[in-house]
């Protein structure tokens, strides 16, 4: 696994939508994915789905539903297995 396999960066500007959202805040106030079905989706300015990736269980999420993001921004990362 390379770093690219264990993180997601925004490929373009957009707005975050999270499908099957099941997320808790850990002790460090970081959002952590608590299921295996969550997906991070990026919507364009017209609200169209332009990108989606499954989020592995335990992934740290740096954005949440409705976050406006910019190209290259780190959205999530996890420990590669």
């Amino acid at each position: 696994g390379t770093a690219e396999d264990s993180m997601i960066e925004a490929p373009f500007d957009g707005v975050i939508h999270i499908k099957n959202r099941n997320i808790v805040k850990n002790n460090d106030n970081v959002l952590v994915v608590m299921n295996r079905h969550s997906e991070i989706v990026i919507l364009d300015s017209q609200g169209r789905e332009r990108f989606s990736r499954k989020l592995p269980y335990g992934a740290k999420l740096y954005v949440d539903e409705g976050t406006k993001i910019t190209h290259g921004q780190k959205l999530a990362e996890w420990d590669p297995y």
Side-chain angles (χ1 to χ4, degrees):
T2 61
E4 288 81 53
D5 297 331
S6 61
M7 62 176 281
I8 302 173
E9 282 185 352
F12 45 81
D13 298 0
V15 176
I16 295 296
H17 168 54
I18 300 191
K19 288 185 178 169
N20 302 314
R21 188 183 179 284
N22 185 353
I23 291 166
V24 297
K25 268 194 176 155
N26 70 10
N27 297 336
D28 301 320
N29 228 24
V30 175
L31 298 169
V32 178
V33 175
M34 294 306 292
N35 67 9
R36 299 184 187 281
H37 320 293
S38 292
E39 265 181 77
I40 190 163
V41 176
I42 301 175
L43 307 173
D44 67 15
S45 53
Q46 277 78 47
R48 288 186 299 243
E49 198 171 302
R50 292 273 315 279
F51 172 92
S52 78
R53 284 265 312 264
K54 284 218 183 313
L55 291 166
Y57 180 85
K60 290 179 185 160
L61 208 53
Y62 300 120
V63 293
D64 202 354
E65 186 69 33
T67 306
K68 284 193 168 68
I69 50 131
T70 54
H71 176 255
Q73 185 173 338
K74 188 190 282 190
L75 308 180
E77 71 180 331
W78 54 90
D79 295 326
Y81 295 110

XYZ file of all heavy atoms in Angstrom:
650
model
N 0.830 -1.215 0.000
C 0.000 0.000 0.000
C 0.852 1.247 0.000
O 1.776 1.372 0.795
N 0.550 2.175 -0.859
C 1.258 3.451 -0.896
C 0.418 4.494 -0.181
O -0.726 4.234 0.200
C 1.471 3.904 -2.349
O 0.195 4.079 -2.963
C 2.258 2.882 -3.131
N 0.962 5.670 -0.006
C 0.220 6.745 0.659
C -1.072 7.047 -0.089
O -2.087 7.358 0.507
C 1.085 7.994 0.752
N -1.032 6.920 -1.420
C -2.236 7.228 -2.201
C -3.374 6.270 -1.866
O -4.529 6.603 -2.028
C -1.955 7.154 -3.703
C -1.106 8.285 -4.248
C 0.375 8.062 -3.995
O 0.886 6.987 -4.354
O 1.021 8.933 -3.407
N -3.022 5.047 -1.426
C -4.052 4.073 -1.094
C -4.674 4.335 0.270
O -5.676 3.718 0.606
C -3.457 2.653 -1.070
C -2.945 2.244 -2.434
O -3.488 2.738 -3.442
O -2.000 1.447 -2.485
N -4.055 5.184 1.062
C -4.519 5.338 2.429
C -4.979 6.757 2.752
O -5.124 7.126 3.904
C -3.421 4.929 3.407
O -2.292 5.743 3.239
N -5.203 7.547 1.709
C -5.766 8.875 1.930
C -6.550 9.316 0.709
O -6.423 8.728 -0.369
C -4.681 9.895 2.257
C -3.688 10.089 1.152
S -2.506 11.390 1.543
C -3.492 12.819 1.174
N -7.381 10.314 0.904
C -8.148 10.878 -0.208
C -7.886 12.372 -0.243
O -8.033 13.048 0.778
C -9.659 10.632 -0.040
C -9.954 9.133 0.075
C -10.438 11.243 -1.210
C -11.398 8.821 0.422
N -7.473 12.860 -1.409
C -7.352 14.303 -1.618
C -8.395 14.727 -2.639
O -8.719 13.970 -3.549
C -5.960 14.659 -2.138
C -4.905 14.669 -1.066
C -3.554 15.150 -1.587
O -3.398 15.334 -2.811
O -2.656 15.331 -0.757
N -8.888 15.934 -2.477
C -9.905 16.435 -3.394
C -9.329 16.609 -4.787
O -8.347 17.324 -4.962
C -10.445 17.769 -2.884
N -9.920 15.943 -5.798
C -9.429 16.106 -7.160
C -9.902 17.413 -7.806
O -9.419 17.785 -8.863
C -10.010 14.902 -7.899
C -11.183 14.475 -7.094
C -10.958 14.926 -5.682
N -10.837 18.084 -7.169
C -11.337 19.385 -7.667
C -12.112 20.057 -6.548
O -12.364 19.449 -5.511
C -12.233 19.190 -8.910
C -13.219 18.076 -8.745
C -14.401 18.255 -8.045
C -12.953 16.826 -9.280
C -15.296 17.225 -7.870
C -13.841 15.778 -9.117
C -15.017 15.976 -8.405
N -12.489 21.324 -6.758
C -13.309 22.049 -5.782
C -14.713 21.459 -5.767
O -15.215 20.999 -6.796
C -13.421 23.535 -6.160
C -12.068 24.240 -6.162
O -11.053 23.582 -5.873
O -12.048 25.441 -6.468
N -15.361 21.512 -4.611
C -16.730 21.021 -4.545
C -17.260 21.063 -3.122
O -16.729 21.756 -2.255
N -18.331 20.310 -2.914
C -18.968 20.229 -1.603
C -19.075 18.759 -1.218
O -19.399 17.908 -2.053
C -20.379 20.875 -1.628
C -21.086 20.704 -0.287
C -20.280 22.350 -1.980
N -18.814 18.467 0.049
C -18.817 17.086 0.534
C -20.232 16.600 0.840
O -21.038 17.316 1.436
C -17.956 16.977 1.814
C -16.497 17.275 1.504
C -18.113 15.608 2.475
C -15.834 16.301 0.575
N -20.488 15.367 0.430
C -21.691 14.655 0.852
C -21.214 13.296 1.347
O -20.312 12.708 0.751
C -22.663 14.503 -0.319
C -23.781 13.540 -0.045
N -24.595 13.647 1.057
C -24.197 12.446 -0.726
C -25.480 12.653 1.031
N -25.255 11.911 -0.036
N -21.772 12.832 2.452
C -21.357 11.539 2.983
C -22.547 10.589 2.982
O -23.575 10.872 3.599
C -20.740 11.688 4.387
C -19.537 12.610 4.242
C -20.378 10.314 4.958
C -18.621 12.731 5.343
N -22.407 9.497 2.229
C -23.468 8.490 2.153
C -23.293 7.491 3.283
O -22.167 7.134 3.613
C -23.382 7.727 0.816
C -23.795 8.534 -0.390
C -23.779 7.647 -1.622
C -24.237 8.416 -2.847
N -23.976 7.666 -4.084
N -24.405 7.024 3.821
C -24.380 6.033 4.911
C -23.483 6.503 6.047
O -22.657 5.770 6.560
C -23.877 4.678 4.400
C -24.732 4.150 3.268
O -25.951 4.175 3.338
N -24.088 3.683 2.212
N -23.691 7.769 6.421
C -22.816 8.410 7.408
C -22.982 7.767 8.784
O -24.073 7.738 9.330
C -23.170 9.898 7.480
C -22.226 10.727 8.328
C -22.729 12.186 8.371
N -21.873 13.016 9.200
C -21.891 12.995 10.526
N -22.714 12.200 11.172
N -21.071 13.790 11.219
N -21.887 7.252 9.298
C -21.861 6.702 10.655
C -20.511 7.069 11.240
O -19.529 6.370 11.050
C -22.063 5.184 10.617
C -22.155 4.590 12.014
O -21.939 5.287 13.007
N -22.456 3.312 12.098
N -20.474 8.209 11.923
C -19.214 8.844 12.284
C -19.270 9.283 13.742
O -20.301 9.764 14.203
C -18.975 10.050 11.341
C -18.690 9.530 9.934
C -17.839 10.927 11.840
C -18.770 10.581 8.873
N -18.180 9.083 14.464
C -18.088 9.587 15.830
C -16.849 10.471 15.935
O -15.936 10.374 15.116
C -17.978 8.446 16.871
C -19.217 7.592 16.840
C -16.721 7.623 16.661
N -16.840 11.320 16.974
C -15.638 12.106 17.267
C -14.825 11.349 18.298
O -15.359 10.916 19.317
C -16.032 13.480 17.830
C -16.152 14.529 16.767
C -16.197 15.931 17.349
C -16.222 16.930 16.215
N -16.836 18.196 16.599
N -13.531 11.193 18.037
C -12.681 10.518 19.024
C -12.175 11.519 20.060
O -12.553 12.692 20.050
C -11.542 9.748 18.326
C -10.502 10.660 17.710
O -10.484 11.876 17.937
N -9.622 10.093 16.924
N -11.318 11.058 20.954
C -10.825 11.909 22.046
C -10.048 13.120 21.555
O -9.925 14.110 22.262
C -9.944 11.095 22.996
C -10.729 9.981 23.669
O -11.955 10.068 23.789
N -10.052 8.933 24.079
N -9.484 13.007 20.353
C -8.725 14.127 19.790
C -9.614 15.041 18.963
O -9.137 15.871 18.204
C -7.583 13.614 18.908
C -6.639 12.716 19.696
O -6.356 13.040 20.858
O -6.197 11.700 19.143
N -10.938 14.841 19.066
C -11.892 15.664 18.334
C -11.802 15.450 16.822
O -12.090 16.351 16.043
C -11.694 17.141 18.675
C -13.027 17.806 18.994
O -13.981 17.135 19.392
N -13.109 19.097 18.788
N -11.360 14.260 16.428
C -11.275 13.916 15.014
C -12.455 13.018 14.672
O -12.836 12.150 15.461
C -9.946 13.188 14.695
C -9.906 12.719 13.252
C -8.764 14.096 15.000
N -13.045 13.229 13.502
C -14.154 12.391 13.053
C -13.620 11.050 12.574
O -12.680 11.000 11.788
C -14.914 13.081 11.915
C -15.574 14.417 12.271
C -16.055 15.110 11.008
C -16.730 14.209 13.221
N -14.241 9.968 13.039
C -13.811 8.627 12.678
C -15.000 7.840 12.136
O -16.087 7.844 12.721
C -13.210 7.892 13.903
C -12.797 6.475 13.538
C -12.025 8.667 14.463
N -14.778 7.162 11.012
C -15.825 6.367 10.369
C -16.040 5.077 11.164
O -15.090 4.356 11.458
C -15.416 6.027 8.913
C -16.436 5.106 8.262
C -15.238 7.308 8.109
N -17.305 4.772 11.488
C -17.614 3.639 12.350
C -18.346 2.498 11.624
O -18.913 1.634 12.258
C -18.477 4.114 13.528
C -17.752 5.057 14.446
S -16.158 4.402 15.060
C -16.737 3.084 16.110
N -18.382 2.532 10.300
C -18.964 1.398 9.583
C -18.180 1.151 8.311
O -17.212 1.853 8.021
C -20.455 1.635 9.289
C -20.688 2.766 8.313
O -19.755 3.293 7.711
N -21.929 3.157 8.145
N -18.579 0.154 7.571
C -17.851 -0.205 6.347
C -18.604 0.213 5.086
O -18.240 -0.176 3.988
C -17.583 -1.718 6.324
C -16.746 -2.151 7.501
C -16.398 -3.625 7.449
N -15.739 -4.022 8.698
C -14.462 -3.796 8.976
N -13.678 -3.201 8.104
N -13.953 -4.170 10.134
N -19.663 0.996 5.243
C -20.482 1.340 4.068
C -20.463 2.828 3.768
O -21.132 3.269 2.844
C -21.944 0.906 4.282
C -22.081 -0.419 4.950
N -21.703 -1.594 4.348
C -22.527 -0.748 6.185
C -21.935 -2.596 5.183
N -22.415 -2.114 6.301
N -19.750 3.608 4.576
C -19.734 5.051 4.334
C -18.982 5.354 3.049
O -17.989 4.705 2.731
C -19.058 5.793 5.492
O -19.852 5.708 6.649
N -19.483 6.353 2.325
C -18.828 6.801 1.103
C -18.693 8.302 1.153
O -19.607 9.007 1.572
C -19.687 6.458 -0.118
C -19.334 5.168 -0.804
C -20.249 4.956 -2.002
O -20.012 5.615 -3.032
O -21.184 4.164 -1.893
N -17.546 8.794 0.718
C -17.362 10.233 0.596
C -17.628 10.609 -0.850
O -17.133 9.964 -1.774
C -15.963 10.665 1.071
C -15.885 12.188 1.169
C -14.856 10.112 0.170
C -14.711 12.667 2.003
N -18.481 11.609 -1.037
C -18.896 12.042 -2.371
C -18.571 13.520 -2.498
O -18.693 14.270 -1.526
C -20.420 11.819 -2.554
C -20.901 12.349 -3.893
C -20.762 10.341 -2.407
N -18.106 13.919 -3.694
C -17.908 15.348 -3.946
C -18.923 15.793 -4.989
O -19.028 15.191 -6.066
C -16.486 15.652 -4.443
C -15.462 15.171 -3.399
C -16.326 17.152 -4.697
C -14.026 15.309 -3.840
N -19.680 16.807 -4.634
C -20.674 17.389 -5.532
C -20.092 18.634 -6.176
O -19.358 19.384 -5.532
C -21.934 17.767 -4.753
C -22.559 16.664 -3.890
C -23.698 17.227 -3.058
C -23.035 15.499 -4.742
N -20.433 18.860 -7.445
C -19.993 20.101 -8.092
C -20.965 21.224 -7.752
O -21.907 21.042 -6.977
C -19.817 19.899 -9.608
C -21.125 19.631 -10.338
O -22.228 19.865 -9.765
O -21.054 19.183 -11.493
N -20.749 22.395 -8.337
C -21.562 23.566 -7.965
C -23.029 23.402 -8.351
O -23.890 24.096 -7.828
C -20.979 24.834 -8.602
O -20.834 24.638 -9.992
N -23.314 22.464 -9.251
C -24.705 22.181 -9.611
C -25.303 21.050 -8.766
O -26.415 20.616 -9.011
C -24.822 21.774 -11.091
C -24.879 22.964 -12.053
C -23.504 23.559 -12.284
O -22.541 22.845 -12.533
N -23.398 24.877 -12.188
N -24.523 20.557 -7.797
C -25.018 19.488 -6.939
C -24.933 18.107 -7.571
O -25.535 17.159 -7.084
N -24.173 17.995 -8.663
C -24.002 16.684 -9.300
C -22.864 15.919 -8.655
O -21.850 16.516 -8.289
C -23.704 16.863 -10.800
C -24.900 17.310 -11.614
C -24.553 17.321 -13.092
N -23.456 18.243 -13.362
C -23.556 19.323 -14.131
N -24.680 19.608 -14.739
N -22.514 20.111 -14.319
N -23.044 14.609 -8.546
C -22.017 13.748 -7.966
C -20.881 13.594 -8.969
O -21.060 13.075 -10.052
C -22.651 12.385 -7.665
C -21.865 11.553 -6.709
C -22.630 10.297 -6.276
O -23.741 10.428 -5.737
O -22.088 9.210 -6.501
N -19.686 14.055 -8.584
C -18.560 14.026 -9.509
C -17.477 13.033 -9.117
O -16.587 12.741 -9.895
C -17.927 15.429 -9.579
C -18.800 16.483 -10.230
C -18.619 16.514 -11.739
N -17.233 16.448 -12.165
C -16.383 17.467 -12.200
N -16.756 18.663 -11.818
N -15.149 17.296 -12.619
N -17.544 12.555 -7.859
C -16.477 11.713 -7.338
C -17.023 10.975 -6.134
O -17.775 11.537 -5.355
C -15.312 12.614 -6.894
C -14.196 11.911 -6.154
C -13.102 11.404 -6.843
C -14.236 11.786 -4.769
C -12.062 10.784 -6.158
C -13.197 11.165 -4.072
C -12.112 10.664 -4.780
N -16.680 9.708 -5.987
C -17.015 9.024 -4.738
C -15.996 7.934 -4.458
O -15.446 7.330 -5.373
C -18.436 8.451 -4.780
O -18.457 7.260 -5.536
N -15.736 7.734 -3.179
C -14.823 6.677 -2.738
C -15.396 6.076 -1.466
O -15.906 6.802 -0.612
C -13.431 7.252 -2.375
C -12.546 7.618 -3.505
C -11.516 6.592 -3.981
N -10.664 5.914 -3.032
C -9.423 6.281 -2.724
N -8.895 7.375 -3.213
N -8.705 5.545 -1.891
N -15.268 4.772 -1.324
C -15.653 4.130 -0.067
C -14.664 4.530 1.020
O -13.474 4.690 0.768
C -15.647 2.613 -0.229
C -16.848 2.085 -0.979
C -17.307 0.765 -0.348
C -18.476 0.136 -1.090
N -19.557 1.049 -1.406
N -15.168 4.690 2.226
C -14.324 5.001 3.369
C -14.167 3.745 4.215
O -15.164 3.170 4.656
C -14.971 6.097 4.219
C -15.028 7.474 3.575
C -15.976 8.372 4.354
C -13.642 8.094 3.516
N -12.942 3.308 4.454
C -12.774 2.116 5.284
C -13.136 2.391 6.743
O -13.073 3.529 7.209
C -11.284 1.780 5.140
C -10.638 3.014 4.647
C -11.675 3.835 3.950
N -13.506 1.330 7.447
C -13.784 1.413 8.876
C -12.572 2.015 9.589
O -11.437 1.634 9.315
C -14.061 -0.003 9.403
C -14.365 -0.048 10.872
C -15.659 0.179 11.325
C -13.365 -0.313 11.795
C -15.953 0.136 12.667
C -13.642 -0.354 13.155
C -14.936 -0.130 13.588
O -15.215 -0.169 14.925
N -12.813 2.989 10.457
C -11.721 3.591 11.227
C -11.020 4.749 10.540
O -10.102 5.328 11.108
N -11.439 5.087 9.316
C -10.809 6.211 8.614
C -11.041 7.513 9.377
O -12.108 7.728 9.951
C -11.376 6.331 7.204
N -10.028 8.376 9.371
C -10.170 9.715 9.947
C -10.677 10.637 8.860
O -10.132 10.679 7.757
C -8.823 10.232 10.453
C -8.333 9.506 11.667
C -6.979 10.059 12.081
C -6.413 9.264 13.241
N -4.950 9.449 13.356
N -11.702 11.401 9.205
C -12.347 12.283 8.237
C -12.046 13.723 8.622
O -12.266 14.125 9.765
C -13.850 12.015 8.303
C -14.700 12.250 7.088
C -14.153 11.528 5.867
C -16.112 11.772 7.361
N -11.514 14.494 7.674
C -11.173 15.899 7.958
C -12.243 16.858 7.462
O -12.099 18.073 7.590
C -9.827 16.234 7.320
C -8.728 15.343 7.864
C -7.996 14.518 7.030
C -8.454 15.319 9.229
C -7.004 13.690 7.543
C -7.466 14.493 9.749
C -6.748 13.683 8.897
O -5.777 12.855 9.408
N -13.282 16.315 6.860
C -14.397 17.119 6.371
C -15.673 16.394 6.782
O -15.634 15.251 7.211
C -14.349 17.265 4.830
C -13.143 18.083 4.406
C -14.336 15.896 4.156
N -16.806 17.065 6.635
C -18.077 16.427 6.964
C -19.130 16.915 5.977
O -18.842 17.716 5.085
C -18.467 16.765 8.411
C -19.452 15.758 9.009
O -19.922 14.857 8.275
O -19.737 15.867 10.218
N -20.324 16.416 6.153
C -21.448 16.775 5.289
C -21.493 18.286 5.080
O -21.485 19.059 6.033
C -22.739 16.290 5.959
C -23.977 16.456 5.138
C -24.031 15.531 3.928
O -23.523 14.395 3.998
O -24.594 15.973 2.911
N -21.496 18.718 3.818
C -21.661 20.136 3.516
C -20.380 20.958 3.507
O -20.412 22.146 3.179
N -19.241 20.348 3.861
C -17.979 21.097 3.853
C -17.628 21.511 2.430
O -17.678 20.694 1.514
C -16.827 20.241 4.410
O -17.177 19.746 5.701
C -15.534 21.053 4.510
N -17.295 22.787 2.250
C -16.795 23.253 0.940
C -15.305 22.960 0.889
O -14.571 23.334 1.798
C -17.026 24.759 0.790
C -18.464 25.123 0.480
C -18.552 26.575 0.035
C -19.902 26.908 -0.548
N -20.987 26.877 0.463
N -14.882 22.301 -0.166
C -13.481 21.887 -0.249
C -12.840 22.454 -1.510
O -13.520 22.833 -2.462
C -13.375 20.346 -0.243
C -14.333 19.740 -1.282
C -13.683 19.814 1.133
C -13.690 18.732 -2.164
N -11.500 22.494 -1.486
C -10.765 22.983 -2.645
C -9.818 21.898 -3.140
O -9.430 20.998 -2.390
C -9.951 24.246 -2.293
O -9.131 23.959 -1.167
C -10.871 25.399 -1.965
N -9.463 22.010 -4.387
C -8.596 21.038 -5.053
C -7.334 20.776 -4.241
O -6.673 21.708 -3.800
C -8.239 21.561 -6.442
C -7.277 20.693 -7.172
N -5.956 21.020 -7.326
C -7.434 19.477 -7.752
C -5.344 20.063 -7.995
N -6.220 19.103 -8.256
N -7.009 19.499 -4.010
C -5.799 19.142 -3.289
C -5.953 19.052 -1.786
O -5.032 18.623 -1.090
N -7.103 19.453 -1.264
C -7.342 19.381 0.170
C -7.428 17.919 0.626
O -8.016 17.086 -0.051
C -8.662 20.100 0.495
C -8.981 20.206 1.970
C -10.224 21.081 2.200
O -10.589 21.907 1.353
N -10.869 20.902 3.333
N -6.811 17.618 1.771
C -6.896 16.256 2.303
C -8.254 16.052 2.958
O -8.649 16.822 3.828
C -5.772 16.001 3.308
C -5.705 14.535 3.737
C -4.766 14.322 4.902
C -3.324 14.322 4.478
N -2.436 13.879 5.605
N -8.959 15.011 2.522
C -10.325 14.780 2.997
C -10.387 13.696 4.059
O -11.184 13.768 4.986
C -11.221 14.381 1.824
C -11.176 15.322 0.608
C -12.104 14.806 -0.472
C -11.526 16.741 0.998
N -9.567 12.680 3.902
C -9.612 11.545 4.829
C -8.301 10.787 4.728
O -7.616 10.847 3.709
C -10.776 10.624 4.478
N -7.988 10.055 5.785
C -6.846 9.130 5.716
C -7.044 8.010 6.712
O -7.858 8.085 7.617
C -5.516 9.855 5.930
C -5.243 10.347 7.313
C -3.885 11.058 7.393
O -2.977 10.724 6.618
O -3.749 11.954 8.248
N -6.311 6.932 6.484
C -6.418 5.755 7.341
C -5.104 5.002 7.290
O -4.248 5.280 6.459
C -7.580 4.863 6.891
C -7.520 4.489 5.444
C -6.915 3.397 4.910
C -8.083 5.213 4.353
N -7.067 3.396 3.555
C -7.780 4.498 3.169
C -8.825 6.398 4.234
C -8.189 4.926 1.908
C -9.223 6.810 2.980
C -8.908 6.083 1.835
N -4.966 4.068 8.204
C -3.749 3.242 8.229
C -3.830 2.220 7.112
O -4.799 1.465 7.037
C -3.629 2.501 9.563
C -3.429 3.477 10.722
O -2.776 4.515 10.501
O -3.922 3.196 11.818
N -2.830 2.174 6.232
C -2.852 1.152 5.175
C -2.616 -0.222 5.789
O -1.879 -0.333 6.761
C -1.695 1.547 4.259
C -0.815 2.411 5.081
C -1.654 3.029 6.162
N -3.290 -1.225 5.244
C -3.122 -2.578 5.762
C -2.374 -3.417 4.754
O -2.586 -3.259 3.575
C -4.487 -3.207 6.062
C -5.202 -2.464 7.170
C -6.328 -1.701 6.906
C -4.692 -2.460 8.476
C -6.968 -0.996 7.912
C -5.316 -1.759 9.479
C -6.451 -1.024 9.196
O -7.059 -0.320 10.187
